[in-house]
Amino acid sequence: MNIRPLNDRIIVERLEEETKTAGGLIIPDTAKEKPQQGKVIAVGHGKKTEDGKVLPLDVKAGDKVLFGKYAGTEIKIEGKEYLMMREDDILGVIEK
């Protein structure tokens, strides 16, 4: 992908949710909600402060993150759907 987000923006690819419950029930597509987990694809350089300094972001490309249900803006690049959001929209990084 040939896109670089500006400032503190991040491009995230949604990760698909499970199609079965723990009890083995299959969830139909109409009952599924959009996933709130994703993989960071690209990040900007950082947030600029009032005095012109750049604060680096806490997330990096490849991180698995949690974000709010209505966070970000849906964009389409080369036929794939992504979310563009600010670092503030990220709730946490999933670590293994």
Side-chain angles (χ1 to χ4, degrees), residues 17-46:
E17 294 285 326
E18 291 291 324
T19 57
K20 283 187 178 182
T21 64
L25 297 174
I26 297 175
I27 303 170
D29 288 339
T30 55
K32 287 184 189 176
E33 292 188 14
K34 289 188 176 182
Q36 293 175 292
Q37 292 184 31
K39 181 180 175 187
V40 176
I41 302 299
V43 297
H45 288 298

Side-chain angles (χ1 to χ4, degrees), residues 1-3 11 75-82:
M1 175 171 38
N2 295 326
I3 188 167
I11 296 179
I75 59 173
K76 202 169 207 179
I77 302 171
E78 298 175 357
K80 287 188 78 173
E81 288 190 16
Y82 298 97

Side-chain angles (χ1 to χ4, degrees), residues 14 21-22 35 49 63-64 66-68 71:
R14 285 187 195 265
T21 64
T49 62
D63 282 350
K64 190 174 177 183
L66 292 172
F67 49 86

Side-chain angles (χ1 to χ4, degrees), residues 43-66:
V43 297
H45 288 298
K47 189 173 193 170
K48 290 186 181 178
T49 62
E50 290 181 14
D51 59 349
K53 293 180 182 176
V54 177
L55 299 174
L57 301 179
D58 288 332
V59 296
K60 60 187 178 309
D63 282 350
K64 190 174 177 183
V65 295
L66 292 172

